[in-house]
Amino acid sequence: MSESRGISTICLLDFSTSAPAAKAGPAEPRPETFRRMLVKPLIAGNWKMNGLAPALAEIETVAEIVSTSLPNADVLVCPPATLVHRAVQTAAGRIAVGGQDCRPEPSGAFTGDISAEMLRDAGATAVIVGHSERRQYHGETNALVAAKAQVAWRAGLLSIICIGETEEERTREQHLKVCKDQLAGSVPEGASANNAAIAYEPVWAIGTGKTPTIAQIGAIHAHIRQCLVSRFGTAGTDIRILYGGSVKASNAREILAAPEVGGALVGGASLTAADFHPIIAAASAT
Ligand code: PEP
């Protein structure tokens, strides 16, 4: 990934700032605590198909707050493709900007689509792939999502790979298996914290105001972690697992403090700085 793009580091791991001191006391940090010390949470906003030019003012406000308050979080906003380049200019390296989808091919006769290289060219450093709205409205399969994640890495983008069960699958208690299968099919070989994050987004929680309990979030994040570690070994221990689905100011702190929650993917509440900033601030409080 090019060094000249200073914002690329915003979405990647930075082990330099908080390496644990050599054994000071009797208590060893538990693995989860230890990981939290090393890996900043990632708070990512997904604007979906919302936002015209005046909405860039929200990015300016968030970027300004982040650059002055220095929260303990990496902050990313994913506006519609039409705003990516202007969002990068507005953010000016204070927060990262990403795309919401990409096609696996670098270029070609694919009217209306956008490639990872194009996003990178516009200054993006990350891309969401496999969002449930893409899976549902565009018939995207796990294999396609994995291909998108792979090309995104080649283009130097962090992939945020979305998984999550439907309400019916949760009712039938299939959620663990559904997530395991989606992880197996959607996350390509070679995944690591430097090129991927997972977003667990129960479909029934997206845009509905409903959320799983904290215990349910903790349980499924632990399951996802186990799947990542059994497949990728040590590399699987650092991949951030974001929670997504009706995150807002009033529940962010509790959700972000749950075990194995390494950040949040936020839809509706990322559209204004007034709603998004408290979620970013909550990450510092965990
Ligand atoms: C999303 O679409 O990724 C999302 C989490 O939406 P919301 O926060 O609005 O539920």
Side-chain angles (χ1 to χ4, degrees):
M1 201 172 281
S2 156
E3 283 303 314
S4 62
R5 307 221 187 225
I7 49 177
S8 66
T9 55
I10 288 173
C11 283
L12 303 181
L13 291 178
D14 179 4
F15 287 86
S16 61
T17 51
S18 51
K23 265 205 215 165
E28 288 283 336
R30 289 184 298 113
E32 170 63 8
T33 315
F34 183 70
R35 228 161 29 71
R36 276 172 192 271
M37 289 162 71
L38 297 176
V39 185
K40 277 190 197 173
L42 170 61
I43 307 298
N46 172 16
W47 281 15
K48 311 192 188 194
M49 200 174 75
N50 296 295
L52 301 175
L56 293 166
E58 303 297 333
I59 290 183
E60 170 56 30
T61 305
V62 171
E64 192 48 31
I65 292 172
V66 165
S67 71
T68 52
S69 64
L70 300 174
N72 181 37
D74 293 329
V75 179
L76 168 73
V77 173
C78 301
T82 48
L83 289 182
V84 166
H85 183 59
R86 279 176 286 174
V88 169
Q89 291 176 323
T90 303
R94 294 168 294 174
I95 62 172
V97 175
Q100 298 175 11
D101 180 49
C102 64
R103 202 180 161 95
E105 296 80 2
S107 60
F110 304 107
T111 304
D113 283 341
I114 191 162
S115 70
E117 284 78 3
M118 289 168 175
L119 288 171
R120 181 74 202 184
D121 186 48
T125 53
V127 63
I128 299 167
V129 294
H131 190 283
S132 63
E133 287 152 13
R134 300 288 316 175
R135 292 177 187 261
Q136 187 182 349
Y137 303 137
H138 299 267
E140 295 195 357
T141 61
N142 287 331
L144 180 60
V145 175
K148 290 178 178 207
Q150 205 148 36
V151 297
W153 306 348
R154 275 196 219 118
L157 302 177
L158 178 88
S159 293
I160 300 178
I161 304 169
C162 301
I163 61 165
E165 81 283 358
T166 62
E167 188 150 38
E168 193 207 340
E169 288 162 343
R170 169 66 71 162
T171 308
R172 286 194 280 113
E173 299 195 349
Q174 291 292 301
H175 50 288
L176 296 179
K177 179 172 172 4
V178 167
C179 288
K180 186 176 181 184
D181 291 349
Q182 286 182 334
L183 281 173
S186 309
V187 182
E189 287 309 318
S192 74
N194 287 332
N195 56 36
I198 307 299
Y200 167 64
E201 299 206 302
V203 178
W204 51 274
I206 295 178
T208 60
K210 295 191 225 168
T211 54
T213 64
I214 297 302
Q216 287 172 330
I217 292 174
I220 194 134
H221 277 237
H223 173 69
I224 293 167
R225 174 68 63 210
Q226 204 177 28
C227 294
L228 293 173
V229 170
S230 78
R231 180 160 165 213
F232 299 111
T234 323
T237 62
D238 285 328
I239 296 174
R240 283 186 278 205
I241 307 170
L242 317 184
Y243 168 78
S246 296
V247 176
K248 49 191 182 221
S250 58
N251 61 18
R253 188 169 173 169
E254 205 184 7
I255 289 173
L256 290 167
E260 298 294 357
V261 172
L265 181 53
V266 184
S270 70
L271 292 173
T272 65
D275 288 335
F276 197 39
H277 172 246
I279 298 171
I280 298 167
S284 294
T286 61

Short mmCIF file of all heavy atoms in Angstrom, two decimals, residues 59-127:
data_model
loop_
_atom_site.label_atom_id
_atom_site.label_comp_id
_atom_site.label_asym_id
_atom_site.label_seq_id
_atom_site.Cartn_x
_atom_site.Cartn_y
_atom_site.Cartn_z
N ILE A 59 -18.98 15.34 6.62
CA ILE A 59 -17.64 14.73 6.66
C ILE A 59 -16.64 15.74 7.21
O ILE A 59 -15.78 15.40 8.03
CB ILE A 59 -17.25 14.23 5.25
CG1 ILE A 59 -18.13 13.02 4.91
CG2 ILE A 59 -15.76 13.88 5.17
CD1 ILE A 59 -17.87 12.34 3.60
N GLU A 60 -16.77 16.98 6.79
CA GLU A 60 -15.88 18.02 7.32
C GLU A 60 -16.02 18.11 8.84
O GLU A 60 -15.02 18.16 9.57
CB GLU A 60 -16.18 19.37 6.65
CG GLU A 60 -15.49 20.57 7.29
CD GLU A 60 -13.95 20.45 7.35
OE1 GLU A 60 -13.37 19.79 6.47
OE2 GLU A 60 -13.35 21.00 8.30
N THR A 61 -17.24 18.08 9.33
CA THR A 61 -17.44 18.20 10.78
C THR A 61 -16.85 17.00 11.52
O THR A 61 -16.14 17.16 12.52
CB THR A 61 -18.95 18.34 11.11
OG1 THR A 61 -19.47 19.43 10.36
CG2 THR A 61 -19.19 18.58 12.58
N VAL A 62 -17.13 15.80 11.02
CA VAL A 62 -16.59 14.60 11.67
C VAL A 62 -15.06 14.63 11.65
O VAL A 62 -14.39 14.38 12.66
CB VAL A 62 -17.10 13.31 10.98
CG1 VAL A 62 -16.36 12.08 11.51
CG2 VAL A 62 -18.59 13.14 11.19
N ALA A 63 -14.50 14.98 10.49
CA ALA A 63 -13.04 14.98 10.35
C ALA A 63 -12.41 15.99 11.31
O ALA A 63 -11.37 15.73 11.93
CB ALA A 63 -12.66 15.29 8.91
N GLU A 64 -13.06 17.12 11.44
CA GLU A 64 -12.52 18.15 12.33
C GLU A 64 -12.58 17.69 13.79
O GLU A 64 -11.61 17.84 14.54
CB GLU A 64 -13.31 19.46 12.15
CG GLU A 64 -12.68 20.68 12.79
CD GLU A 64 -11.18 20.84 12.47
OE1 GLU A 64 -10.72 20.43 11.39
OE2 GLU A 64 -10.46 21.36 13.35
N ILE A 65 -13.70 17.09 14.16
CA ILE A 65 -13.82 16.60 15.54
C ILE A 65 -12.77 15.52 15.81
O ILE A 65 -12.10 15.52 16.84
CB ILE A 65 -15.24 16.04 15.80
CG1 ILE A 65 -16.27 17.17 15.78
CG2 ILE A 65 -15.30 15.30 17.14
CD1 ILE A 65 -17.72 16.70 15.84
N VAL A 66 -12.60 14.62 14.84
CA VAL A 66 -11.63 13.53 15.03
C VAL A 66 -10.22 14.09 15.15
O VAL A 66 -9.44 13.67 15.99
CB VAL A 66 -11.74 12.52 13.85
CG1 VAL A 66 -10.54 11.59 13.81
CG2 VAL A 66 -13.03 11.71 13.98
N SER A 67 -9.90 15.07 14.32
CA SER A 67 -8.52 15.57 14.36
C SER A 67 -8.24 16.37 15.62
O SER A 67 -7.09 16.50 16.03
CB SER A 67 -8.21 16.40 13.11
OG SER A 67 -8.88 17.62 13.17
N THR A 68 -9.26 16.88 16.26
CA THR A 68 -9.00 17.63 17.50
C THR A 68 -9.19 16.76 18.74
O THR A 68 -8.46 16.89 19.71
CB THR A 68 -9.90 18.89 17.60
OG1 THR A 68 -11.25 18.48 17.41
CG2 THR A 68 -9.53 19.92 16.58
N SER A 69 -10.13 15.81 18.69
CA SER A 69 -10.38 15.01 19.91
C SER A 69 -9.55 13.74 19.94
O SER A 69 -9.47 13.08 20.98
CB SER A 69 -11.87 14.67 20.04
OG SER A 69 -12.27 13.85 18.97
N LEU A 70 -8.96 13.36 18.83
CA LEU A 70 -8.11 12.16 18.73
C LEU A 70 -8.72 10.96 19.46
O LEU A 70 -8.15 10.46 20.44
CB LEU A 70 -6.71 12.46 19.29
CG LEU A 70 -5.95 13.59 18.59
CD1 LEU A 70 -4.66 13.89 19.32
CD2 LEU A 70 -5.68 13.24 17.14
N PRO A 71 -9.86 10.48 19.00
CA PRO A 71 -10.49 9.34 19.67
C PRO A 71 -9.66 8.08 19.51
O PRO A 71 -8.85 7.97 18.58
CB PRO A 71 -11.82 9.21 18.92
CG PRO A 71 -11.55 9.76 17.57
CD PRO A 71 -10.56 10.87 17.77
N ASN A 72 -9.90 7.14 20.39
CA ASN A 72 -9.21 5.85 20.29
C ASN A 72 -9.94 4.97 19.28
O ASN A 72 -10.47 3.91 19.62
CB ASN A 72 -9.16 5.18 21.66
CG ASN A 72 -8.43 3.84 21.57
OD1 ASN A 72 -7.46 3.73 20.84
ND2 ASN A 72 -8.92 2.84 22.29
N ALA A 73 -10.00 5.43 18.06
CA ALA A 73 -10.70 4.68 17.01
C ALA A 73 -10.19 5.12 15.66
O ALA A 73 -9.79 6.27 15.48
CB ALA A 73 -12.20 4.94 17.10
N ASP A 74 -10.19 4.18 14.72
CA ASP A 74 -9.99 4.54 13.32
C ASP A 74 -11.37 4.85 12.76
O ASP A 74 -12.33 4.12 13.03
CB ASP A 74 -9.37 3.37 12.57
CG ASP A 74 -7.94 3.09 13.03
OD1 ASP A 74 -7.26 4.04 13.43
OD2 ASP A 74 -7.53 1.92 13.01
N VAL A 75 -11.47 5.92 12.01
CA VAL A 75 -12.78 6.36 11.53
C VAL A 75 -12.80 6.33 10.00
O VAL A 75 -11.88 6.82 9.33
CB VAL A 75 -13.12 7.78 12.04
CG1 VAL A 75 -14.47 8.24 11.52
CG2 VAL A 75 -13.10 7.80 13.57
N LEU A 76 -13.85 5.76 9.48
CA LEU A 76 -14.00 5.58 8.03
C LEU A 76 -15.43 5.97 7.64
O LEU A 76 -16.37 5.61 8.34
CB LEU A 76 -13.78 4.09 7.70
CG LEU A 76 -14.14 3.58 6.31
CD1 LEU A 76 -13.12 4.08 5.28
CD2 LEU A 76 -14.16 2.05 6.30
N VAL A 77 -15.56 6.70 6.55
CA VAL A 77 -16.90 6.99 6.01
C VAL A 77 -16.96 6.45 4.58
O VAL A 77 -16.04 6.68 3.79
CB VAL A 77 -17.20 8.51 6.04
CG1 VAL A 77 -18.52 8.80 5.32
CG2 VAL A 77 -17.27 9.01 7.47
N CYS A 78 -18.02 5.72 4.27
CA CYS A 78 -18.21 5.17 2.93
C CYS A 78 -19.42 5.85 2.29
O CYS A 78 -20.56 5.38 2.45
CB CYS A 78 -18.42 3.66 3.00
SG CYS A 78 -17.05 2.78 3.76
N PRO A 79 -19.20 6.95 1.57
CA PRO A 79 -20.31 7.65 0.91
C PRO A 79 -20.63 6.96 -0.42
O PRO A 79 -19.90 6.06 -0.82
CB PRO A 79 -19.73 9.05 0.68
CG PRO A 79 -18.27 8.81 0.49
CD PRO A 79 -17.91 7.58 1.30
N PRO A 80 -21.67 7.39 -1.12
CA PRO A 80 -21.89 6.84 -2.46
C PRO A 80 -20.70 7.16 -3.37
O PRO A 80 -19.95 8.12 -3.12
CB PRO A 80 -23.17 7.53 -2.93
CG PRO A 80 -23.45 8.62 -1.97
CD PRO A 80 -22.68 8.36 -0.72
N ALA A 81 -20.54 6.36 -4.42
CA ALA A 81 -19.36 6.49 -5.29
C ALA A 81 -19.21 7.90 -5.85
O ALA A 81 -18.08 8.38 -6.05
CB ALA A 81 -19.46 5.48 -6.44
N THR A 82 -20.33 8.58 -6.08
CA THR A 82 -20.28 9.93 -6.66
C THR A 82 -19.56 10.92 -5.74
O THR A 82 -19.10 11.96 -6.18
CB THR A 82 -21.71 10.46 -6.90
OG1 THR A 82 -22.47 10.23 -5.70
CG2 THR A 82 -22.36 9.76 -8.08
N LEU A 83 -19.50 10.60 -4.45
CA LEU A 83 -18.90 11.55 -3.49
C LEU A 83 -17.53 11.11 -3.01
O LEU A 83 -16.89 11.84 -2.24
CB LEU A 83 -19.82 11.73 -2.27
CG LEU A 83 -21.12 12.51 -2.47
CD1 LEU A 83 -21.87 12.64 -1.15
CD2 LEU A 83 -20.86 13.89 -3.06
N VAL A 84 -17.07 9.92 -3.44
CA VAL A 84 -15.83 9.40 -2.83
C VAL A 84 -14.66 10.38 -3.00
O VAL A 84 -13.99 10.73 -2.02
CB VAL A 84 -15.48 8.00 -3.40
CG1 VAL A 84 -14.04 7.61 -3.04
CG2 VAL A 84 -16.44 6.95 -2.83
N HIS A 85 -14.44 10.84 -4.22
CA HIS A 85 -13.27 11.69 -4.43
C HIS A 85 -13.38 13.00 -3.65
O HIS A 85 -12.43 13.43 -2.99
CB HIS A 85 -13.09 11.96 -5.93
CG HIS A 85 -11.87 12.77 -6.22
ND1 HIS A 85 -10.60 12.36 -5.86
CD2 HIS A 85 -11.71 13.99 -6.81
CE1 HIS A 85 -9.71 13.27 -6.22
NE2 HIS A 85 -10.36 14.28 -6.80
N ARG A 86 -14.57 13.60 -3.69
CA ARG A 86 -14.73 14.86 -2.95
C ARG A 86 -14.65 14.62 -1.44
O ARG A 86 -14.14 15.45 -0.68
CB ARG A 86 -16.06 15.53 -3.32
CG ARG A 86 -15.96 16.29 -4.65
CD ARG A 86 -17.30 16.86 -5.07
NE ARG A 86 -18.20 15.82 -5.56
CZ ARG A 86 -19.47 16.02 -5.88
NH1 ARG A 86 -20.01 17.23 -5.72
NH2 ARG A 86 -20.21 15.06 -6.37
N ALA A 87 -15.12 13.46 -1.00
CA ALA A 87 -15.03 13.14 0.43
C ALA A 87 -13.56 13.00 0.85
O ALA A 87 -13.17 13.44 1.93
CB ALA A 87 -15.79 11.85 0.73
N VAL A 88 -12.76 12.40 -0.02
CA VAL A 88 -11.32 12.26 0.28
C VAL A 88 -10.70 13.64 0.40
O VAL A 88 -9.91 13.91 1.32
CB VAL A 88 -10.63 11.42 -0.83
CG1 VAL A 88 -9.11 11.50 -0.69
CG2 VAL A 88 -11.10 9.98 -0.77
N GLN A 89 -11.06 14.52 -0.51
CA GLN A 89 -10.50 15.88 -0.45
C GLN A 89 -10.96 16.60 0.82
O GLN A 89 -10.19 17.29 1.48
CB GLN A 89 -10.92 16.67 -1.69
CG GLN A 89 -10.24 16.16 -2.94
CD GLN A 89 -10.72 16.87 -4.19
OE1 GLN A 89 -11.90 17.20 -4.32
NE2 GLN A 89 -9.80 17.10 -5.12
N THR A 90 -12.23 16.42 1.16
CA THR A 90 -12.76 17.07 2.36
C THR A 90 -12.09 16.52 3.61
O THR A 90 -11.70 17.27 4.52
CB THR A 90 -14.29 16.85 2.45
OG1 THR A 90 -14.89 17.36 1.26
CG2 THR A 90 -14.88 17.53 3.66
N ALA A 91 -11.97 15.20 3.67
CA ALA A 91 -11.39 14.56 4.87
C ALA A 91 -9.93 14.93 5.04
O ALA A 91 -9.42 15.01 6.16
CB ALA A 91 -11.56 13.05 4.78
N ALA A 92 -9.24 15.13 3.93
CA ALA A 92 -7.83 15.57 3.95
C ALA A 92 -6.98 14.76 4.93
O ALA A 92 -6.18 15.31 5.68
CB ALA A 92 -7.76 17.06 4.27
N GLY A 93 -7.18 13.45 4.93
CA GLY A 93 -6.34 12.57 5.75
C GLY A 93 -6.74 12.48 7.21
O GLY A 93 -6.16 11.70 7.96
N ARG A 94 -7.75 13.26 7.62
CA ARG A 94 -8.14 13.21 9.04
C ARG A 94 -8.99 11.99 9.36
O ARG A 94 -8.96 11.48 10.46
CB ARG A 94 -8.88 14.50 9.41
CG ARG A 94 -7.99 15.75 9.34
CD ARG A 94 -8.81 17.02 9.43
NE ARG A 94 -9.68 17.18 8.26
CZ ARG A 94 -10.59 18.14 8.12
NH1 ARG A 94 -10.78 19.03 9.10
NH2 ARG A 94 -11.32 18.21 7.03
N ILE A 95 -9.78 11.55 8.42
CA ILE A 95 -10.49 10.28 8.53
C ILE A 95 -10.35 9.57 7.18
O ILE A 95 -9.97 10.21 6.19
CB ILE A 95 -12.00 10.45 8.90
CG1 ILE A 95 -12.74 11.23 7.81
CG2 ILE A 95 -12.16 11.10 10.27
CD1 ILE A 95 -14.26 11.26 8.02
N ALA A 96 -10.63 8.30 7.15
CA ALA A 96 -10.52 7.53 5.90
C ALA A 96 -11.85 7.51 5.16
O ALA A 96 -12.91 7.68 5.76
CB ALA A 96 -10.06 6.11 6.21
N VAL A 97 -11.74 7.28 3.86
CA VAL A 97 -12.94 7.23 3.01
C VAL A 97 -12.92 5.90 2.26
O VAL A 97 -11.85 5.45 1.81
CB VAL A 97 -12.95 8.42 2.03
CG1 VAL A 97 -14.13 8.31 1.06
CG2 VAL A 97 -13.00 9.74 2.80
N GLY A 98 -14.08 5.28 2.14
CA GLY A 98 -14.15 4.00 1.43
C GLY A 98 -15.31 3.93 0.48
O GLY A 98 -16.18 4.81 0.47
N GLY A 99 -15.33 2.87 -0.33
CA GLY A 99 -16.45 2.61 -1.22
C GLY A 99 -17.42 1.63 -0.56
O GLY A 99 -17.12 1.05 0.48
N GLN A 100 -18.56 1.43 -1.22
CA GLN A 100 -19.59 0.54 -0.65
C GLN A 100 -19.65 -0.80 -1.36
O GLN A 100 -20.36 -1.70 -0.92
CB GLN A 100 -20.96 1.21 -0.73
CG GLN A 100 -21.06 2.49 0.04
CD GLN A 100 -22.40 3.17 -0.17
OE1 GLN A 100 -23.34 2.61 -0.73
NE2 GLN A 100 -22.52 4.40 0.29
N ASP A 101 -18.93 -0.90 -2.47
CA ASP A 101 -18.94 -2.14 -3.25
C ASP A 101 -17.90 -1.98 -4.34
O ASP A 101 -17.49 -0.87 -4.65
CB ASP A 101 -20.33 -2.37 -3.89
CG ASP A 101 -20.37 -3.65 -4.71
OD1 ASP A 101 -19.94 -4.70 -4.19
OD2 ASP A 101 -20.82 -3.60 -5.88
N CYS A 102 -17.46 -3.09 -4.91
CA CYS A 102 -16.62 -3.02 -6.10
C CYS A 102 -16.86 -4.28 -6.91
O CYS A 102 -17.37 -5.27 -6.40
CB CYS A 102 -15.14 -2.88 -5.74
SG CYS A 102 -14.48 -4.32 -4.87
N ARG A 103 -16.50 -4.20 -8.16
CA ARG A 103 -16.61 -5.37 -9.03
C ARG A 103 -15.25 -6.06 -9.07
O ARG A 103 -14.24 -5.41 -8.95
CB ARG A 103 -17.00 -4.88 -10.44
CG ARG A 103 -17.64 -5.94 -11.24
CD ARG A 103 -18.05 -5.53 -12.61
NE ARG A 103 -18.20 -6.77 -13.34
CZ ARG A 103 -19.37 -7.38 -13.48
NH1 ARG A 103 -20.47 -6.85 -13.05
NH2 ARG A 103 -19.42 -8.54 -14.12
N PRO A 104 -15.22 -7.39 -9.25
CA PRO A 104 -13.91 -8.05 -9.25
C PRO A 104 -12.99 -7.65 -10.41
O PRO A 104 -11.78 -7.59 -10.25
CB PRO A 104 -14.25 -9.54 -9.35
CG PRO A 104 -15.67 -9.67 -8.93
CD PRO A 104 -16.33 -8.35 -9.25
N GLU A 105 -13.58 -7.35 -11.58
CA GLU A 105 -12.72 -7.00 -12.72
C GLU A 105 -12.16 -5.59 -12.56
O GLU A 105 -12.85 -4.69 -12.07
CB GLU A 105 -13.52 -7.06 -14.04
CG GLU A 105 -14.03 -8.43 -14.40
CD GLU A 105 -15.30 -8.83 -13.64
OE1 GLU A 105 -15.83 -8.03 -12.84
OE2 GLU A 105 -15.74 -9.98 -13.85
N PRO A 106 -10.93 -5.34 -13.02
CA PRO A 106 -10.34 -4.01 -12.88
C PRO A 106 -10.96 -2.97 -13.82
O PRO A 106 -10.97 -1.77 -13.53
CB PRO A 106 -8.86 -4.22 -13.21
CG PRO A 106 -8.80 -5.50 -13.97
CD PRO A 106 -9.99 -6.33 -13.56
N SER A 107 -11.47 -3.42 -14.97
CA SER A 107 -12.11 -2.51 -15.93
C SER A 107 -12.88 -3.37 -16.93
O SER A 107 -12.76 -4.59 -16.91
CB SER A 107 -11.04 -1.69 -16.68
OG SER A 107 -10.17 -2.57 -17.38
N GLY A 108 -13.65 -2.73 -17.80
CA GLY A 108 -14.32 -3.51 -18.84
C GLY A 108 -15.75 -3.08 -19.07
O GLY A 108 -16.20 -2.05 -18.56
N ALA A 109 -16.48 -3.90 -19.82
CA ALA A 109 -17.84 -3.57 -20.25
C ALA A 109 -18.83 -3.98 -19.16
O ALA A 109 -19.54 -4.99 -19.28
CB ALA A 109 -18.14 -4.27 -21.57
N PHE A 110 -18.85 -3.23 -18.09
CA PHE A 110 -19.74 -3.51 -16.96
C PHE A 110 -20.45 -2.22 -16.57
O PHE A 110 -20.09 -1.56 -15.58
CB PHE A 110 -18.95 -4.09 -15.78
CG PHE A 110 -18.17 -5.32 -16.15
CD1 PHE A 110 -16.79 -5.27 -16.29
CD2 PHE A 110 -18.83 -6.52 -16.40
CE1 PHE A 110 -16.08 -6.40 -16.65
CE2 PHE A 110 -18.12 -7.65 -16.77
CZ PHE A 110 -16.74 -7.59 -16.89
N THR A 111 -21.42 -1.84 -17.38
CA THR A 111 -22.07 -0.55 -17.23
C THR A 111 -22.59 -0.33 -15.81
O THR A 111 -23.30 -1.17 -15.27
CB THR A 111 -23.23 -0.44 -18.24
OG1 THR A 111 -22.69 -0.66 -19.55
CG2 THR A 111 -23.90 0.92 -18.18
N GLY A 112 -22.22 0.79 -15.27
CA GLY A 112 -22.73 1.17 -13.95
C GLY A 112 -21.91 0.66 -12.79
O GLY A 112 -22.16 1.05 -11.64
N ASP A 113 -20.96 -0.25 -13.05
CA ASP A 113 -20.18 -0.81 -11.94
C ASP A 113 -18.91 0.01 -11.69
O ASP A 113 -18.51 0.85 -12.50
CB ASP A 113 -19.82 -2.27 -12.23
CG ASP A 113 -21.01 -3.18 -12.01
OD1 ASP A 113 -21.95 -2.76 -11.31
OD2 ASP A 113 -21.00 -4.30 -12.55
N ILE A 114 -18.27 -0.31 -10.59
CA ILE A 114 -17.04 0.40 -10.22
C ILE A 114 -16.02 -0.63 -9.75
O ILE A 114 -16.38 -1.63 -9.11
CB ILE A 114 -17.34 1.47 -9.13
CG1 ILE A 114 -16.15 2.38 -8.92
CG2 ILE A 114 -17.77 0.84 -7.81
CD1 ILE A 114 -16.51 3.69 -8.21
N SER A 115 -14.76 -0.43 -10.10
CA SER A 115 -13.73 -1.39 -9.71
C SER A 115 -12.99 -0.91 -8.47
O SER A 115 -13.02 0.28 -8.12
CB SER A 115 -12.73 -1.61 -10.85
OG SER A 115 -11.94 -0.45 -11.02
N ALA A 116 -12.29 -1.85 -7.84
CA ALA A 116 -11.48 -1.50 -6.67
C ALA A 116 -10.40 -0.49 -7.06
O ALA A 116 -10.10 0.45 -6.31
CB ALA A 116 -10.85 -2.77 -6.10
N GLU A 117 -9.83 -0.67 -8.27
CA GLU A 117 -8.78 0.25 -8.73
C GLU A 117 -9.34 1.67 -8.86
O GLU A 117 -8.65 2.66 -8.58
CB GLU A 117 -8.22 -0.20 -10.08
CG GLU A 117 -7.28 -1.38 -10.01
CD GLU A 117 -8.00 -2.72 -9.84
OE1 GLU A 117 -9.26 -2.75 -9.83
OE2 GLU A 117 -7.30 -3.74 -9.69
N MET A 118 -10.59 1.78 -9.32
CA MET A 118 -11.20 3.11 -9.47
C MET A 118 -11.39 3.77 -8.11
O MET A 118 -11.17 4.97 -7.96
CB MET A 118 -12.54 3.00 -10.21
CG MET A 118 -12.39 2.67 -11.67
SD MET A 118 -13.99 2.23 -12.36
CE MET A 118 -13.53 2.06 -14.09
N LEU A 119 -11.82 2.96 -7.15
CA LEU A 119 -11.99 3.51 -5.79
C LEU A 119 -10.66 3.99 -5.25
O LEU A 119 -10.53 5.08 -4.68
CB LEU A 119 -12.60 2.45 -4.86
CG LEU A 119 -14.07 2.12 -5.10
CD1 LEU A 119 -14.49 0.90 -4.28
CD2 LEU A 119 -14.97 3.32 -4.77
N ARG A 120 -9.65 3.16 -5.47
CA ARG A 120 -8.30 3.52 -4.98
C ARG A 120 -7.82 4.80 -5.69
O ARG A 120 -7.25 5.69 -5.06
CB ARG A 120 -7.37 2.35 -5.26
CG ARG A 120 -5.96 2.55 -4.80
CD ARG A 120 -5.84 2.45 -3.31
NE ARG A 120 -4.66 3.14 -2.85
CZ ARG A 120 -4.22 3.16 -1.60
NH1 ARG A 120 -4.89 2.54 -0.67
NH2 ARG A 120 -3.14 3.79 -1.27
N ASP A 121 -8.09 4.85 -6.97
CA ASP A 121 -7.70 6.02 -7.76
C ASP A 121 -8.37 7.29 -7.24
O ASP A 121 -7.80 8.38 -7.29
CB ASP A 121 -8.08 5.77 -9.23
CG ASP A 121 -7.59 6.86 -10.15
OD1 ASP A 121 -6.41 7.23 -10.05
OD2 ASP A 121 -8.40 7.35 -10.97
N ALA A 122 -9.58 7.11 -6.71
CA ALA A 122 -10.32 8.27 -6.16
C ALA A 122 -9.86 8.61 -4.76
O ALA A 122 -10.32 9.59 -4.17
CB ALA A 122 -11.82 7.96 -6.17
N GLY A 123 -8.97 7.79 -4.21
CA GLY A 123 -8.42 8.10 -2.89
C GLY A 123 -9.00 7.26 -1.76
O GLY A 123 -8.65 7.47 -0.59
N ALA A 124 -9.88 6.31 -2.10
CA ALA A 124 -10.45 5.45 -1.05
C ALA A 124 -9.37 4.51 -0.52
O ALA A 124 -8.40 4.18 -1.22
CB ALA A 124 -11.61 4.63 -1.61
N THR A 125 -9.53 4.09 0.73
CA THR A 125 -8.58 3.13 1.31
C THR A 125 -9.29 1.87 1.80
O THR A 125 -8.65 1.00 2.38
CB THR A 125 -7.80 3.76 2.49
OG1 THR A 125 -8.73 4.31 3.41
CG2 THR A 125 -6.85 4.84 2.01
N ALA A 126 -10.58 1.81 1.61
CA ALA A 126 -11.33 0.64 2.08
C ALA A 126 -12.56 0.45 1.20
O ALA A 126 -12.95 1.37 0.46
CB ALA A 126 -11.76 0.84 3.53
N VAL A 127 -13.15 -0.72 1.28
CA VAL A 127 -14.40 -0.97 0.56
C VAL A 127 -15.22 -2.01 1.32
O VAL A 127 -14.67 -2.97 1.86
CB VAL A 127 -14.14 -1.41 -0.90
CG1 VAL A 127 -13.37 -2.72 -0.99
CG2 VAL A 127 -15.44 -1.50 -1.70
#
